[in-house]
mmCIF file of all heavy atoms in Angstrom:
data_model
loop_
_atom_site.group_PDB
_atom_site.id
_atom_site.type_symbol
_atom_site.label_atom_id
_atom_site.label_comp_id
_atom_site.label_asym_id
_atom_site.label_seq_id
_atom_site.Cartn_x
_atom_site.Cartn_y
_atom_site.Cartn_z
ATOM 1 N N TYR H 1 8.271 -4.946 22.827
ATOM 2 C CA TYR H 1 6.840 -5.210 22.713
ATOM 3 C C TYR H 1 6.571 -6.246 21.623
ATOM 4 O O TYR H 1 7.152 -6.188 20.529
ATOM 5 C CB TYR H 1 6.082 -3.926 22.373
ATOM 6 C CG TYR H 1 6.187 -2.849 23.429
ATOM 7 C CD1 TYR H 1 7.209 -1.906 23.381
ATOM 8 C CD2 TYR H 1 5.274 -2.773 24.471
ATOM 9 C CE1 TYR H 1 7.314 -0.905 24.339
ATOM 10 C CE2 TYR H 1 5.362 -1.778 25.436
ATOM 11 C CZ TYR H 1 6.381 -0.853 25.364
ATOM 12 O OH TYR H 1 6.484 0.132 26.316
ATOM 13 N N GLU H 2 5.726 -7.194 21.945
ATOM 14 C CA GLU H 2 5.264 -8.146 20.941
ATOM 15 C C GLU H 2 4.200 -7.474 20.067
ATOM 16 O O GLU H 2 3.456 -6.612 20.543
ATOM 17 C CB GLU H 2 4.660 -9.377 21.616
ATOM 18 C CG GLU H 2 5.662 -10.221 22.394
ATOM 19 C CD GLU H 2 6.685 -10.880 21.489
ATOM 20 O OE1 GLU H 2 6.336 -11.174 20.321
ATOM 21 O OE2 GLU H 2 7.828 -11.089 21.937
ATOM 22 N N PRO H 3 4.120 -7.857 18.793
ATOM 23 C CA PRO H 3 3.080 -7.278 17.929
ATOM 24 C C PRO H 3 1.686 -7.609 18.463
ATOM 25 O O PRO H 3 1.381 -8.764 18.748
ATOM 26 C CB PRO H 3 3.334 -7.941 16.575
ATOM 27 C CG PRO H 3 4.748 -8.433 16.635
ATOM 28 C CD PRO H 3 5.006 -8.774 18.065
ATOM 29 N N VAL H 4 0.871 -6.579 18.631
ATOM 30 C CA VAL H 4 -0.504 -6.750 19.100
ATOM 31 C C VAL H 4 -1.429 -5.986 18.163
ATOM 32 O O VAL H 4 -1.229 -4.792 17.925
ATOM 33 C CB VAL H 4 -0.678 -6.233 20.543
ATOM 34 C CG1 VAL H 4 -2.139 -6.346 20.977
ATOM 35 C CG2 VAL H 4 0.223 -6.988 21.509
ATOM 36 N N GLY H 5 -2.434 -6.657 17.638
ATOM 37 C CA GLY H 5 -3.372 -6.007 16.741
ATOM 38 C C GLY H 5 -2.830 -5.896 15.330
ATOM 39 O O GLY H 5 -1.796 -6.481 14.974
ATOM 40 N N THR H 6 -3.523 -5.113 14.527
ATOM 41 C CA THR H 6 -3.134 -4.919 13.131
ATOM 42 C C THR H 6 -3.084 -3.428 12.823
ATOM 43 O O THR H 6 -3.618 -2.596 13.562
ATOM 44 C CB THR H 6 -4.135 -5.586 12.181
ATOM 45 O OG1 THR H 6 -5.417 -4.932 12.317
ATOM 46 C CG2 THR H 6 -4.283 -7.069 12.493
ATOM 47 N N LEU H 7 -2.438 -3.109 11.712
ATOM 48 C CA LEU H 7 -2.353 -1.712 11.293
ATOM 49 C C LEU H 7 -3.746 -1.164 10.985
ATOM 50 O O LEU H 7 -4.053 -0.005 11.277
ATOM 51 C CB LEU H 7 -1.445 -1.601 10.065
ATOM 52 C CG LEU H 7 -1.093 -0.179 9.602
ATOM 53 C CD1 LEU H 7 -0.321 0.566 10.687
ATOM 54 C CD2 LEU H 7 -0.281 -0.216 8.310
ATOM 55 N N GLU H 8 -4.594 -2.017 10.419
ATOM 56 C CA GLU H 8 -5.956 -1.586 10.098
ATOM 57 C C GLU H 8 -6.735 -1.210 11.356
ATOM 58 O O GLU H 8 -7.541 -0.270 11.350
ATOM 59 C CB GLU H 8 -6.705 -2.697 9.341
ATOM 60 C CG GLU H 8 -6.222 -2.944 7.919
ATOM 61 C CD GLU H 8 -4.856 -3.629 7.868
ATOM 62 O OE1 GLU H 8 -4.492 -4.307 8.876
ATOM 63 O OE2 GLU H 8 -4.151 -3.470 6.852
ATOM 64 N N GLU H 9 -6.472 -1.931 12.444
ATOM 65 C CA GLU H 9 -7.164 -1.622 13.695
ATOM 66 C C GLU H 9 -6.680 -0.306 14.301
ATOM 67 O O GLU H 9 -7.395 0.329 15.091
ATOM 68 C CB GLU H 9 -6.961 -2.762 14.700
ATOM 69 C CG GLU H 9 -7.659 -4.048 14.309
ATOM 70 C CD GLU H 9 -7.283 -5.217 15.204
ATOM 71 O OE1 GLU H 9 -6.246 -5.134 15.893
ATOM 72 O OE2 GLU H 9 -8.016 -6.219 15.209
ATOM 73 N N ALA H 10 -5.465 0.116 13.931
ATOM 74 C CA ALA H 10 -4.932 1.384 14.434
ATOM 75 C C ALA H 10 -5.432 2.580 13.626
ATOM 76 O O ALA H 10 -5.251 3.731 14.042
ATOM 77 C CB ALA H 10 -3.407 1.352 14.404
ATOM 78 N N LEU H 11 -6.070 2.314 12.484
ATOM 79 C CA LEU H 11 -6.581 3.390 11.631
ATOM 80 C C LEU H 11 -7.778 4.065 12.292
ATOM 81 O O LEU H 11 -8.762 3.413 12.633
ATOM 82 C CB LEU H 11 -6.967 2.830 10.263
ATOM 83 C CG LEU H 11 -7.501 3.833 9.239
ATOM 84 C CD1 LEU H 11 -6.430 4.866 8.881
ATOM 85 C CD2 LEU H 11 -7.972 3.097 7.983
ATOM 86 N N VAL H 12 -7.686 5.365 12.482
ATOM 87 C CA VAL H 12 -8.744 6.118 13.156
ATOM 88 C C VAL H 12 -9.703 6.746 12.154
ATOM 89 O O VAL H 12 -10.928 6.674 12.285
ATOM 90 C CB VAL H 12 -8.140 7.219 14.055
ATOM 91 C CG1 VAL H 12 -9.232 8.059 14.701
ATOM 92 C CG2 VAL H 12 -7.235 6.601 15.108
ATOM 93 N N GLU H 13 -9.141 7.375 11.126
ATOM 94 C CA GLU H 13 -9.958 8.084 10.139
ATOM 95 C C GLU H 13 -9.081 8.446 8.950
ATOM 96 O O GLU H 13 -7.876 8.176 8.932
ATOM 97 C CB GLU H 13 -10.534 9.377 10.750
ATOM 98 C CG GLU H 13 -9.455 10.366 11.184
ATOM 99 C CD GLU H 13 -10.018 11.680 11.671
ATOM 100 O OE1 GLU H 13 -11.200 11.957 11.408
ATOM 101 O OE2 GLU H 13 -9.260 12.455 12.298
ATOM 102 N N TYR H 14 -9.720 9.056 7.964
ATOM 103 C CA TYR H 14 -8.995 9.685 6.865
ATOM 104 C C TYR H 14 -9.229 11.189 6.959
ATOM 105 O O TYR H 14 -10.317 11.642 7.325
ATOM 106 C CB TYR H 14 -9.477 9.165 5.514
ATOM 107 C CG TYR H 14 -8.928 7.798 5.154
ATOM 108 C CD1 TYR H 14 -9.576 6.642 5.556
ATOM 109 C CD2 TYR H 14 -7.745 7.675 4.428
ATOM 110 C CE1 TYR H 14 -9.077 5.390 5.248
ATOM 111 C CE2 TYR H 14 -7.234 6.419 4.102
ATOM 112 C CZ TYR H 14 -7.908 5.284 4.509
ATOM 113 O OH TYR H 14 -7.410 4.047 4.203
ATOM 114 N N ARG H 15 -8.187 11.965 6.641
ATOM 115 C CA ARG H 15 -8.307 13.416 6.712
ATOM 116 C C ARG H 15 -7.538 14.034 5.557
ATOM 117 O O ARG H 15 -6.499 13.510 5.135
ATOM 118 C CB ARG H 15 -7.738 13.907 8.049
ATOM 119 C CG ARG H 15 -7.925 15.389 8.305
ATOM 120 C CD ARG H 15 -7.614 15.750 9.749
ATOM 121 N NE ARG H 15 -6.193 15.708 10.074
ATOM 122 C CZ ARG H 15 -5.689 15.088 11.130
ATOM 123 N NH1 ARG H 15 -6.488 14.439 11.961
ATOM 124 N NH2 ARG H 15 -4.396 15.104 11.371
ATOM 125 N N ASP H 16 -8.054 15.132 5.042
ATOM 126 C CA ASP H 16 -7.342 15.852 3.988
ATOM 127 C C ASP H 16 -6.139 16.574 4.586
ATOM 128 O O ASP H 16 -6.278 17.386 5.509
ATOM 129 C CB ASP H 16 -8.267 16.871 3.313
ATOM 130 C CG ASP H 16 -9.295 16.200 2.410
ATOM 131 O OD1 ASP H 16 -9.042 15.067 1.978
ATOM 132 O OD2 ASP H 16 -10.355 16.808 2.153
ATOM 133 N N VAL H 17 -4.953 16.256 4.054
ATOM 134 C CA VAL H 17 -3.704 16.850 4.544
ATOM 135 C C VAL H 17 -2.948 17.435 3.360
ATOM 136 O O VAL H 17 -2.873 16.819 2.290
ATOM 137 C CB VAL H 17 -2.830 15.803 5.263
ATOM 138 C CG1 VAL H 17 -1.532 16.430 5.750
ATOM 139 C CG2 VAL H 17 -3.582 15.177 6.427
ATOM 140 N N TYR H 18 -2.393 18.616 3.533
ATOM 141 C CA TYR H 18 -1.679 19.305 2.463
ATOM 142 C C TYR H 18 -0.239 18.807 2.380
ATOM 143 O O TYR H 18 0.517 18.887 3.343
ATOM 144 C CB TYR H 18 -1.682 20.814 2.716
ATOM 145 C CG TYR H 18 -1.143 21.649 1.572
ATOM 146 C CD1 TYR H 18 -2.004 22.229 0.649
ATOM 147 C CD2 TYR H 18 0.231 21.863 1.414
ATOM 148 C CE1 TYR H 18 -1.518 23.007 -0.393
ATOM 149 C CE2 TYR H 18 0.729 22.627 0.373
ATOM 150 C CZ TYR H 18 -0.152 23.197 -0.528
ATOM 151 O OH TYR H 18 0.328 23.960 -1.567
ATOM 152 N N PHE H 19 0.129 18.285 1.215
ATOM 153 C CA PHE H 19 1.513 17.904 0.933
ATOM 154 C C PHE H 19 1.920 18.563 -0.376
ATOM 155 O O PHE H 19 1.358 18.254 -1.441
ATOM 156 C CB PHE H 19 1.653 16.383 0.804
ATOM 157 C CG PHE H 19 1.518 15.642 2.112
ATOM 158 C CD1 PHE H 19 0.343 14.978 2.418
ATOM 159 C CD2 PHE H 19 2.565 15.619 3.025
ATOM 160 C CE1 PHE H 19 0.207 14.288 3.615
ATOM 161 C CE2 PHE H 19 2.442 14.931 4.222
ATOM 162 C CZ PHE H 19 1.257 14.270 4.527
ATOM 163 N N GLU H 20 2.863 19.465 -0.334
ATOM 164 C CA GLU H 20 3.286 20.185 -1.537
ATOM 165 C C GLU H 20 3.825 19.224 -2.584
ATOM 166 O O GLU H 20 3.561 19.396 -3.785
ATOM 167 C CB GLU H 20 4.356 21.212 -1.173
ATOM 168 C CG GLU H 20 4.787 22.065 -2.355
ATOM 169 C CD GLU H 20 5.871 23.067 -1.985
ATOM 170 O OE1 GLU H 20 6.758 22.688 -1.195
ATOM 171 O OE2 GLU H 20 5.829 24.204 -2.485
ATOM 172 N N GLU H 21 4.559 18.180 -2.123
ATOM 173 C CA GLU H 21 5.134 17.237 -3.073
ATOM 174 C C GLU H 21 4.086 16.415 -3.811
ATOM 175 O O GLU H 21 4.359 15.820 -4.855
ATOM 176 C CB GLU H 21 6.119 16.305 -2.366
ATOM 177 C CG GLU H 21 5.561 15.586 -1.144
ATOM 178 C CD GLU H 21 5.832 16.321 0.151
ATOM 179 O OE1 GLU H 21 5.286 17.434 0.286
ATOM 180 O OE2 GLU H 21 6.558 15.792 1.005
ATOM 181 N N ALA H 22 2.848 16.382 -3.277
ATOM 182 C CA ALA H 22 1.748 15.662 -3.931
ATOM 183 C C ALA H 22 0.816 16.608 -4.673
ATOM 184 O O ALA H 22 -0.201 16.181 -5.205
ATOM 185 C CB ALA H 22 0.970 14.854 -2.902
ATOM 186 N N GLY H 23 1.152 17.906 -4.666
ATOM 187 C CA GLY H 23 0.359 18.871 -5.422
ATOM 188 C C GLY H 23 -0.787 19.495 -4.658
ATOM 189 O O GLY H 23 -1.608 20.202 -5.252
ATOM 190 N N GLY H 24 -0.895 19.259 -3.356
ATOM 191 C CA GLY H 24 -1.979 19.875 -2.586
ATOM 192 C C GLY H 24 -2.556 18.917 -1.571
ATOM 193 O O GLY H 24 -1.850 18.106 -0.966
ATOM 194 N N MET H 25 -3.872 18.996 -1.406
ATOM 195 C CA MET H 25 -4.552 18.172 -0.411
ATOM 196 C C MET H 25 -4.607 16.708 -0.834
ATOM 197 O O MET H 25 -4.887 16.394 -1.995
ATOM 198 C CB MET H 25 -5.972 18.690 -0.178
ATOM 199 C CG MET H 25 -6.031 19.960 0.645
ATOM 200 S SD MET H 25 -5.446 19.641 2.335
ATOM 201 C CE MET H 25 -5.705 21.247 3.073
ATOM 202 N N VAL H 26 -4.307 15.834 0.126
ATOM 203 C CA VAL H 26 -4.319 14.393 -0.117
ATOM 204 C C VAL H 26 -5.137 13.725 0.984
ATOM 205 O O VAL H 26 -4.967 14.031 2.169
ATOM 206 C CB VAL H 26 -2.880 13.820 -0.111
ATOM 207 C CG1 VAL H 26 -2.913 12.308 -0.301
ATOM 208 C CG2 VAL H 26 -2.026 14.482 -1.184
ATOM 209 N N LYS H 27 -6.032 12.816 0.588
ATOM 210 C CA LYS H 27 -6.786 12.041 1.572
ATOM 211 C C LYS H 27 -5.810 11.092 2.268
ATOM 212 O O LYS H 27 -5.268 10.171 1.663
ATOM 213 C CB LYS H 27 -7.906 11.261 0.888
ATOM 214 C CG LYS H 27 -8.856 10.568 1.865
ATOM 215 C CD LYS H 27 -9.983 9.872 1.130
ATOM 216 C CE LYS H 27 -10.946 9.211 2.116
ATOM 217 N NZ LYS H 27 -12.050 8.509 1.428
ATOM 218 N N THR H 28 -5.589 11.318 3.558
ATOM 219 C CA THR H 28 -4.480 10.686 4.274
ATOM 220 C C THR H 28 -4.985 9.841 5.441
ATOM 221 O O THR H 28 -5.826 10.299 6.219
ATOM 222 C CB THR H 28 -3.520 11.770 4.810
ATOM 223 O OG1 THR H 28 -3.064 12.576 3.709
ATOM 224 C CG2 THR H 28 -2.326 11.155 5.521
ATOM 225 N N PRO H 29 -4.471 8.615 5.592
ATOM 226 C CA PRO H 29 -4.858 7.796 6.751
ATOM 227 C C PRO H 29 -4.266 8.361 8.037
ATOM 228 O O PRO H 29 -3.098 8.730 8.084
ATOM 229 C CB PRO H 29 -4.282 6.416 6.421
ATOM 230 C CG PRO H 29 -3.155 6.689 5.468
ATOM 231 C CD PRO H 29 -3.555 7.894 4.679
ATOM 232 N N ILE H 30 -5.080 8.395 9.083
ATOM 233 C CA ILE H 30 -4.657 8.882 10.390
ATOM 234 C C ILE H 30 -4.648 7.697 11.348
ATOM 235 O O ILE H 30 -5.676 7.054 11.572
ATOM 236 C CB ILE H 30 -5.605 9.980 10.927
ATOM 237 C CG1 ILE H 30 -5.864 11.050 9.857
ATOM 238 C CG2 ILE H 30 -5.044 10.571 12.211
ATOM 239 C CD1 ILE H 30 -4.623 11.802 9.406
ATOM 240 N N TYR H 31 -3.475 7.394 11.909
ATOM 241 C CA TYR H 31 -3.328 6.246 12.796
ATOM 242 C C TYR H 31 -3.176 6.711 14.249
ATOM 243 O O TYR H 31 -2.600 7.766 14.524
ATOM 244 C CB TYR H 31 -2.096 5.423 12.415
ATOM 245 C CG TYR H 31 -2.167 4.789 11.047
ATOM 246 C CD1 TYR H 31 -1.482 5.339 9.966
ATOM 247 C CD2 TYR H 31 -2.921 3.634 10.834
ATOM 248 C CE1 TYR H 31 -1.541 4.758 8.704
ATOM 249 C CE2 TYR H 31 -2.986 3.042 9.575
ATOM 250 C CZ TYR H 31 -2.299 3.608 8.521
ATOM 251 O OH TYR H 31 -2.363 3.031 7.275
ATOM 252 N N ALA H 32 -3.663 5.901 15.161
ATOM 253 C CA ALA H 32 -3.389 6.095 16.582
ATOM 254 C C ALA H 32 -2.016 5.504 16.853
ATOM 255 O O ALA H 32 -1.840 4.282 16.776
ATOM 256 C CB ALA H 32 -4.458 5.425 17.435
ATOM 257 N N ARG H 33 -1.035 6.360 17.135
ATOM 258 C CA ARG H 33 0.354 5.921 17.257
ATOM 259 C C ARG H 33 0.500 4.782 18.263
ATOM 260 O O ARG H 33 1.228 3.802 18.021
ATOM 261 C CB ARG H 33 1.223 7.116 17.674
ATOM 262 C CG ARG H 33 2.645 6.777 18.114
ATOM 263 C CD ARG H 33 3.545 6.513 16.923
ATOM 264 N NE ARG H 33 4.804 5.902 17.343
ATOM 265 C CZ ARG H 33 5.915 6.553 17.664
ATOM 266 N NH1 ARG H 33 5.939 7.867 17.626
ATOM 267 N NH2 ARG H 33 7.010 5.907 17.996
ATOM 268 N N ASP H 34 -0.165 4.871 19.403
ATOM 269 C CA ASP H 34 -0.017 3.865 20.453
ATOM 270 C C ASP H 34 -0.588 2.506 20.051
ATOM 271 O O ASP H 34 -0.252 1.485 20.664
ATOM 272 C CB ASP H 34 -0.697 4.339 21.741
ATOM 273 C CG ASP H 34 -0.037 5.591 22.298
ATOM 274 O OD1 ASP H 34 1.162 5.794 22.027
ATOM 275 O OD2 ASP H 34 -0.719 6.373 22.987
ATOM 276 N N SER H 35 -1.440 2.490 19.024
ATOM 277 C CA SER H 35 -2.077 1.233 18.606
ATOM 278 C C SER H 35 -1.392 0.589 17.412
ATOM 279 O O SER H 35 -1.755 -0.518 17.006
ATOM 280 C CB SER H 35 -3.556 1.482 18.265
ATOM 281 O OG SER H 35 -4.253 1.975 19.388
ATOM 282 N N ILE H 36 -0.412 1.272 16.818
ATOM 283 C CA ILE H 36 0.311 0.685 15.687
ATOM 284 C C ILE H 36 1.173 -0.466 16.205
ATOM 285 O O ILE H 36 2.017 -0.268 17.078
ATOM 286 C CB ILE H 36 1.190 1.734 14.989
ATOM 287 C CG1 ILE H 36 0.329 2.878 14.433
ATOM 288 C CG2 ILE H 36 2.003 1.094 13.870
ATOM 289 C CD1 ILE H 36 1.132 4.009 13.815
ATOM 290 N N PRO H 37 0.982 -1.669 15.719
ATOM 291 C CA PRO H 37 1.730 -2.818 16.255
ATOM 292 C C PRO H 37 3.213 -2.748 15.899
ATOM 293 O O PRO H 37 3.589 -2.204 14.853
ATOM 294 C CB PRO H 37 1.055 -4.025 15.601
ATOM 295 C CG PRO H 37 0.399 -3.482 14.379
ATOM 296 C CD PRO H 37 0.016 -2.068 14.680
ATOM 297 N N THR H 38 4.039 -3.294 16.776
ATOM 298 C CA THR H 38 5.460 -3.370 16.474
ATOM 299 C C THR H 38 5.685 -4.273 15.264
ATOM 300 O O THR H 38 4.875 -5.144 14.949
ATOM 301 C CB THR H 38 6.245 -3.921 17.675
ATOM 302 O OG1 THR H 38 5.712 -5.211 18.016
ATOM 303 C CG2 THR H 38 6.130 -3.009 18.874
ATOM 304 N N LEU H 39 6.799 -4.032 14.584
ATOM 305 C CA LEU H 39 7.227 -4.785 13.396
ATOM 306 C C LEU H 39 6.326 -4.567 12.196
ATOM 307 O O LEU H 39 6.477 -5.237 11.166
ATOM 308 C CB LEU H 39 7.339 -6.293 13.703
ATOM 309 C CG LEU H 39 8.200 -6.670 14.920
ATOM 310 C CD1 LEU H 39 8.295 -8.181 15.046
ATOM 311 C CD2 LEU H 39 9.591 -6.052 14.818
ATOM 312 N N SER H 40 5.376 -3.634 12.294
ATOM 313 C CA SER H 40 4.537 -3.324 11.134
ATOM 314 C C SER H 40 5.261 -2.333 10.226
ATOM 315 O O SER H 40 6.144 -1.597 10.664
ATOM 316 C CB SER H 40 3.193 -2.748 11.581
ATOM 317 O OG SER H 40 3.379 -1.574 12.346
ATOM 318 N N GLU H 41 4.853 -2.318 8.964
ATOM 319 C CA GLU H 41 5.455 -1.425 7.978
ATOM 320 C C GLU H 41 4.363 -0.805 7.129
ATOM 321 O O GLU H 41 3.351 -1.443 6.836
ATOM 322 C CB GLU H 41 6.447 -2.190 7.095
ATOM 323 C CG GLU H 41 7.610 -2.813 7.855
ATOM 324 C CD GLU H 41 8.645 -3.453 6.930
ATOM 325 O OE1 GLU H 41 8.884 -2.876 5.847
ATOM 326 O OE2 GLU H 41 9.199 -4.511 7.278
ATOM 327 N N PHE H 42 4.581 0.449 6.759
ATOM 328 C CA PHE H 42 3.641 1.116 5.854
ATOM 329 C C PHE H 42 4.348 2.300 5.205
ATOM 330 O O PHE H 42 5.465 2.663 5.580
ATOM 331 C CB PHE H 42 2.378 1.567 6.595
ATOM 332 C CG PHE H 42 2.613 2.499 7.752
ATOM 333 C CD1 PHE H 42 2.471 3.871 7.612
ATOM 334 C CD2 PHE H 42 2.971 1.999 9.003
ATOM 335 C CE1 PHE H 42 2.688 4.726 8.673
ATOM 336 C CE2 PHE H 42 3.185 2.850 10.079
ATOM 337 C CZ PHE H 42 3.040 4.220 9.917
ATOM 338 N N THR H 43 3.705 2.895 4.212
ATOM 339 C CA THR H 43 4.308 4.009 3.476
ATOM 340 C C THR H 43 3.412 5.240 3.570
ATOM 341 O O THR H 43 2.210 5.150 3.826
ATOM 342 C CB THR H 43 4.520 3.657 1.993
ATOM 343 O OG1 THR H 43 3.260 3.274 1.414
ATOM 344 C CG2 THR H 43 5.494 2.501 1.850
ATOM 345 N N GLY H 44 4.038 6.392 3.359
ATOM 346 C CA GLY H 44 3.300 7.643 3.383
ATOM 347 C C GLY H 44 2.601 7.890 2.054
ATOM 348 O O GLY H 44 2.824 7.173 1.073
#
């Protein structure tokens, strides 16, 4: 697949998600997996 769109366009919302390693609830970006462009990179 050729890269189509941007990572920002794949962002659907932010949601509070519990991560023990972060000490509790973290405001977390929620992406639509099918819309994430190929060759893009991001971190948790």
Side-chain angles (χ1 to χ4, degrees):
Y1 298 90
E2 294 294 330
V4 177
T6 64
L7 188 62
E8 290 72 23
E9 292 172 342
L11 181 63
V12 177
E13 62 175 344
Y14 282 88
R15 186 168 72 229
D16 287 337
V17 179
Y18 188 97
F19 288 103
E20 184 181 39
E21 53 267 65
M25 285 295 183
V26 177
K27 188 177 181 181
T28 303
I30 311 298
Y31 296 102
R33 168 78 193 269
D34 296 334
S35 299
I36 299 176
T38 57
L39 307 184
S40 59
E41 299 185 37
F42 58 98
T43 57

